[in-house]
Amino acid sequence: MWSYARQVQQQYDLIVNFAFDWLPFYLTPFFTTPIAHFISMGSMTDESDRIMTQIIDRYPGTFGVYTQAQADTFPFGDRCEILGSAIDLALYQFNNDPDESFAWLGRIAPEKALEDAVEAVNRTRTPLKIMGRIQDEDYWNKILLDFPDAPIEYLGFLDTKQLQQELGKCRALLMTPRWIEAFGNVAIEALACGVPIVAYRRGGPSEIVRDGQTGFLVQPDNVSELVRAIAKIPIIDRHTCRQQAEAEYSLTALGDRFEAWFTKIINNHK
């Protein structure tokens, strides 16, 4: 693919790389057409960080990321373009009449810390709908064993149409990551449905949730703070959640941010 890109590069003003891999960064100096690198995850290996640092030193302004929290995992984090993410809002319907359930979305794996959300709703006796693929069966079974009476319901992995229907019915979304999420698309899916968010103040979600307006940010790994935030959800206006999604996370908004970034790179190259 990169061999083909080099053959046809003169037909284009810019090449955009979405692959988070060592090779595209290594190949960048062999191109005469500028390359914009959009990085989808946080720092993974020393070797990747090393080649990426060499490239951003030589071609400043060419690295884009989702959030500042993601950028800060890299040694060059203060030099990344913060671009956020987006969804097609037409696929997500606003719901201002939720039931009593809360939601938890994502891969069911240890780094997502589903057990914290389950413990919180077990304390408050709040129903919790769990949606997502079970990646680690042993981890899931341990949660069921540790919280046999928790008010939880597993709905499986849902397509977008089903997901937004179930999510929109929920009073709030719980986000409990142990690791630094580069962004957290489930957060903007919730906002699009008018669903507030209770999230650990860690990684991407900490830059999405407007604390006290579209949800609450709490101390990471603190279930007691999750419990206190759950009790405050009724003060959040669900219309404000949808408005934030429309203003910041529409495809148009993201397209404008990317176009502005691309234009800067092209102009700097010239």
Side-chain angles (χ1 to χ4, degrees):
M1 187 164 59
W2 281 96
S3 176
Y4 172 77
R6 198 156 72 122
Q7 292 172 33
V8 301
Q9 63 178 311
Q10 298 304 324
Q11 301 175 31
Y12 300 92
D13 298 309
L14 182 71
I15 295 167
V16 186
N17 168 45
F18 289 95
F20 185 27
D21 190 19
W22 182 88
L23 182 62
F25 300 103
Y26 169 78
L27 291 175
T28 297
F30 296 94
F31 283 73
T32 56
T33 296
I35 300 175
H37 298 278
F38 185 76
I39 305 167
S40 60
M41 297 182 69
S43 174
M44 299 293 285
T45 68
D46 291 341
E47 276 65 31
S48 291
D49 285 359
R50 189 174 299 115
I51 188 66
M52 290 162 70
T53 300
Q54 292 174 11
I55 295 306
I56 200 170
D57 285 346
R58 185 166 175 180
Y59 306 99
T62 59
F63 284 17
V65 295
Y66 288 118
T67 60
Q68 188 61 54
Q70 174 198 357
D72 289 342
T73 66
F74 297 106
F76 47 80
D78 59 338
R79 292 181 283 164
C80 293
E81 190 83 10
I82 310 301
L83 295 161
S85 189
I87 54 176
D88 184 351
L89 293 175
L91 301 178
Y92 296 83
Q93 303 305 307
F94 174 72
N95 186 334
N96 199 36
D97 187 27
D99 59 30
E100 293 303 313
S101 299
F102 277 50
W104 188 96
L105 311 180
R107 290 181 294 106
I108 297 177
E111 65 271 16
K112 297 289 191 174
L114 170 59
E115 70 271 21
D116 287 7
V118 174
E119 181 179 350
V121 300
N122 197 42
R123 290 192 201 177
T124 60
R125 305 312 297 171
T126 303
L128 180 68
K129 295 178 180 178
I130 299 168
M131 294 166 262
R133 182 167 65 89
I134 298 176
Q135 190 176 57
D136 188 324
E137 287 278 357
D138 292 338
Y139 170 70
W140 170 243
N141 289 331
K142 186 175 187 307
I143 291 174
L144 297 180
L145 186 65
D146 291 344
F147 302 96
D149 300 318
I152 62 175
E153 179 185 6
Y154 177 57
L155 303 184
F157 182 86
L158 306 181
D159 62 27
T160 299
K161 183 177 180 180
Q162 295 172 306
L163 173 66
Q164 64 89 26
Q165 288 175 344
E166 292 295 337
L167 180 56
K169 298 174 187 175
C170 294
R171 192 159 296 277
L173 171 71
L174 301 181
M175 296 188 71
T176 53
R178 286 268 188 270
W179 69 337
I180 295 177
E181 296 271 9
F183 186 73
N185 273 337
V186 298
I188 61 176
E189 290 183 300
L191 293 175
C193 296
V195 178
I197 302 160
V198 176
Y200 284 156
R201 193 184 295 273
R202 171 187 281 149
S206 67
E207 295 176 41
I208 299 171
V209 179
R210 297 177 184 171
D211 192 31
Q213 298 179 40
T214 58
F216 297 101
L217 295 170
V218 304
Q219 181 182 344
D221 312 318
N222 190 320
V223 176
S224 294
E225 286 211 3
L226 282 177
V227 169
R228 285 191 284 272
I230 286 172
K232 295 189 293 182
I233 281 297
I235 72 173
I236 301 296
D237 183 350
R238 293 171 73 93
H239 289 92
T240 302
C241 297
R242 176 70 186 197
Q243 288 165 2
Q244 183 187 358
E246 291 173 349
E248 300 177 25
Y249 303 117
S250 69
L251 295 179
T252 298
L254 182 66
D256 289 344
R257 293 193 292 270
F258 265 86
E259 187 174 353
W261 177 46
F262 293 165
T263 300
K264 281 196 293 185
I265 294 173
I266 292 168
N267 290 340
N268 289 340
H269 180 73
K270 291 177 181 178

